[in-house]
Amino acid sequence: MEKADILSMNKDEVCDFLTSLGEAKFRGKQVFKQLHFRKASSFDEMTDLSLSLREKLKETSGIFGVKPVEKYKSSLDSTIKYLFEIRNGYIIESVLMKYDYGYSVCVSTQAGCRMGCAFCASTIGGLERSLTAGEILSQVYEIERQENIRVGHVVMMGCGEPLDNFDSSVRFISLLSDPDGANISRRNITLSTCGLVDEIYRLKDLHLPITLAVSLHAPNNEIRQKIMPVARKYSYEDVIKAAADYAEGTKRRVTFEYALIKGVNDSEKAAYELAGRLKGVLGHVNLIPVNDVKERNFLRSSDTGVKKFSSILTAEGIENTVRRRLGSDINAACGQLRKRYKNNSEVKTL
């Protein structure tokens, strides 16, 4: 009999599960607190439970989290990148970043990705499988254990498309923000999507006060279709409208991610066109000097080009920031280390 995935259960489900084992309902609350407040990684750590109950839990359920494989520390800043193994031997990535306001973790929602964005290393090789809510959650908990820290912000921007794993992603948000668990504010959670319009509306209807980040990466449909296959299904106009409707419905400003690729989408004309497209939308643009992906033949824009692009947006009344490049010496961008690890390339641990 397959063991139950107890780490992915919400509080009521854990209580029901314990009741099904012949235990009192309050035991379920104890187990939930051990898993999500004390961040226990094994039943043996739950010493406030009887030995017989712990053995019963071992027989019927499992804490199917992530297993650390490699850790890389940047010598340039405090960024740390982790390679984790999940069930079936698949490898995923997570990143710990330190800011003035505290610690933030970037989590993966899938092993690989099927979206096919041309500038992204995560999608090379396609999708292996989606993660459970517990596996997404375990990335945060394991990093907290490894570094003896408290994480206050989470971004769903690692490997995979969160809205392509909709149910697990939403369940993860619910578990992460549970007051009896990690209790991370939903306002401190960001979900990044390449623009799955139908799922953006599903997310809007849940009224979760999280930040939505939409990977735009182009000023029009023609350029977007060349670098993002999803643009062949959802038009540029539909993506912008969905983002605007999300912002209106949730009263949360949307972030438009824009990876600047040399000679592709970084011209002054592109900047003016982008500004025109986004006027009136409750949002801001996060400019990202794209990381070089040799397999894709894409190079990042020059520093001068990035500054010029930003200045045009500002002059046109579009709020924007240029993302600080963290962990550049350890390939901290999405998918890079995982790809090299799978290719058995040696990466120096710093």
Side-chain angles (χ1 to χ4, degrees):
M1 184 178 69
E2 186 176 354
K3 292 184 177 181
D5 178 13
I6 198 167
L7 188 59
S8 293
M9 295 180 187
N10 63 35
K11 193 161 40 194
D12 289 341
E13 290 168 340
V14 175
C15 289
D16 290 344
F17 180 68
L18 267 291
T19 301
S20 75
L21 298 179
E23 299 291 331
K25 186 175 182 178
F26 79 89
R27 292 296 183 196
K29 294 180 180 179
Q30 283 183 293
V31 172
F32 186 87
K33 186 174 182 178
Q34 284 282 1
L35 289 169
H36 301 287
F37 180 74
R38 296 179 180 169
K39 319 289 176 66
S41 59
S42 71
F43 294 119
D44 289 330
E45 296 175 34
M46 301 181 182
T47 53
D48 62 341
L49 304 180
S50 67
L51 180 60
S52 62
L53 177 52
R54 280 180 272 161
E55 290 302 318
K56 191 184 294 187
L57 287 169
K58 288 180 188 178
E59 292 171 4
T60 58
S61 62
I63 304 173
F64 302 120
V66 298
K67 176 184 176 183
V69 174
E70 299 283 357
K71 181 169 76 171
Y72 307 94
K73 295 183 178 181
S74 173
S75 60
L76 303 178
D77 49 56
S78 55
T79 303
I80 304 177
K81 184 135 194 185
Y82 307 82
L83 291 182
F84 290 124
E85 182 180 323
I86 58 175
R87 280 187 294 174
N88 308 114
Y90 296 125
I91 301 297
I92 61 168
E93 299 179 10
S94 308
V95 183
L96 173 66
M97 298 159 287
K98 186 176 182 180
Y99 297 96
D100 293 339
Y101 54 75
Y103 289 101
S104 178
V105 166
C106 177
V107 297
S108 293
T109 55
Q110 297 178 312
C113 184
R114 64 175 178 172
M115 295 298 106
C117 298
F119 50 84
C120 181
S122 294
T123 197
I124 298 172
L127 175 66
E128 293 172 333
R129 80 164 170 85
S130 291
L131 273 61
T132 65
E135 288 169 335
I136 305 171
L137 200 62
S138 179
Q139 296 167 61
V140 180
Y141 294 175
E142 186 58 37
I143 288 172
E144 288 185 324
R145 281 191 289 266
Q146 290 264 333
E147 307 304 325
N148 193 28
I149 59 169
R150 163 75 169 153
V151 170
H153 294 72
V154 173
V155 294
M156 303 168 73
M157 293 183 177
C159 297
E161 163 58 59
L163 295 187
D164 189 39
N165 188 16
F166 190 93
D167 291 340
S168 289
S169 292
V170 169
R171 179 173 283 262
F172 159 74
I173 293 168
S174 177
L175 288 169
L176 187 69
S177 58
D178 192 291
D180 292 328
N183 196 26
I184 292 180
S185 171
R186 292 181 180 182
R187 292 183 176 276
N188 292 344
I189 300 172
T190 298
L191 182 150
S192 177
T193 176
C194 66
L196 303 186
V197 170
D198 297 337
E199 282 69 30
I200 290 175
Y201 282 108
R202 284 181 67 192
L203 189 67
K204 178 183 79 73
D205 291 342
L206 294 176
H207 303 289
L208 301 174
I210 64 170
T211 297
L212 179 70
V214 177
S215 295
L216 205 53
H217 306 315
N220 56 51
N221 215 45
E222 182 182 3
I223 294 176
R224 198 165 192 264
Q225 284 186 358
K226 291 178 180 178
I227 59 178
M228 300 181 71
V230 70
R232 298 165 198 158
K233 181 175 182 180
Y234 299 111
S235 73
Y236 195 91
E237 292 74 20
D238 286 345
V239 172
I240 298 296
K241 185 178 186 306
D245 288 347
Y246 181 91
E248 176 63 27
T250 62
K251 307 305 178 186
R252 298 282 291 167
R253 186 177 69 165
V254 171
T255 296
F256 292 101
E257 305 281 344
Y258 197 102
L260 287 158
I261 307 170
K262 187 175 182 179
V264 176
N265 64 356
D266 63 343
S267 68
E268 293 184 20
K269 179 182 177 182
Y272 283 112
E273 186 174 4
L274 178 65
R277 297 275 194 168
L278 297 183
K279 282 185 177 177
V281 179
L282 178 61
H284 85 287
V285 177
N286 187 19
L287 297 173
I288 308 164
V290 74
N291 292 278
D292 299 346
V293 179
K294 295 177 182 178
E295 293 87 347
R296 303 301 198 193
N297 251 344
F298 284 155
L299 301 175
R300 69 187 184 96
S301 301
S302 67
D303 291 343
T304 301
V306 172
K307 290 178 181 178
K308 182 62 177 177
F309 201 98
S310 174
S311 67
I312 291 172
L313 293 183
T314 300
E316 292 296 303
I318 303 299
E319 290 186 32
N320 68 94
T321 53
V322 178
R323 179 183 292 179
R324 188 160 56 104
R325 299 185 75 223
L326 296 176
S328 58
D329 59 325
I330 54 169
N331 293 91
C334 181
Q336 292 179 312
L337 275 177
R338 173 178 174 271
K339 178 173 65 67
R340 291 180 64 182
Y341 182 87
K342 289 180 66 177
N343 291 341
N344 294 317
S345 297
E346 183 178 348
V347 182
K348 182 180 179 182
T349 302
L350 299 174

